[in-house]
Amino acid sequence: MDNLLNYIYGVIVEGAVVGALFWSIAYITMERTSLRGALAAALASEALGNIPYLFGLTALDAPALAMTLVGGVVFVRGIVHVGELNALRATYGLAMTYFALVAIVTCT
């Protein structure tokens, strides 16, 4: 039951943070994106990307790494579906988002 609660909490919190950070980065660097679309794409990708944690796997296990890639693809497809950014710009925004998240975690 603890894994399920951690999964739900992680999806909601991480999804909101990733979506809001992606939106702010894309808005600043490319001057367009939808906050609602970014949040929806982030929640969907976090829901998939966090599935391995339900089974107690760590972030560096092969299934977790594979689901991270699947989550990234889902995120980019969600952003492209909104129609404001193409796949290359969405991938750039996603890469910058995770770069910023790693920098924040490393500095704290």
Side-chain angles (χ1 to χ4, degrees):
M1 187 67 170
D2 256 358
N3 284 347
L4 180 61
L5 293 176
N6 287 337
Y7 170 78
I8 293 170
Y9 176 76
V11 167
I12 293 170
V13 172
E14 292 172 19
V17 169
V18 168
L21 189 59
F22 174 85
W23 174 78
S24 63
I25 287 171
Y27 188 78
I28 291 168
T29 61
M30 295 174 266
E31 297 183 359
R32 61 182 157 177
T33 191
S34 163
L35 177 59
R36 183 176 168 200
L39 289 174
L43 288 171
S45 70
E46 287 294 329
L48 284 175
N50 286 351
I51 288 175
Y53 304 129
L54 283 172
F55 302 102
L57 299 175
T58 65
L60 296 178
D61 290 331
L65 292 172
M67 290 308 289
T68 299
L69 292 175
V70 170
V73 169
V74 167
F75 186 86
V76 170
R77 288 183 55 90
I79 295 298
V80 169
H81 180 72
V82 172
E84 294 181 355
L85 297 175
N86 61 26
L88 188 59
R89 287 182 180 214
T91 303
Y92 164 76
L94 181 62
M96 292 306 297
T97 299
Y98 279 96
F99 177 77
L101 287 172
V102 168
I104 290 168
V105 169
T106 302
C107 291
T108 55

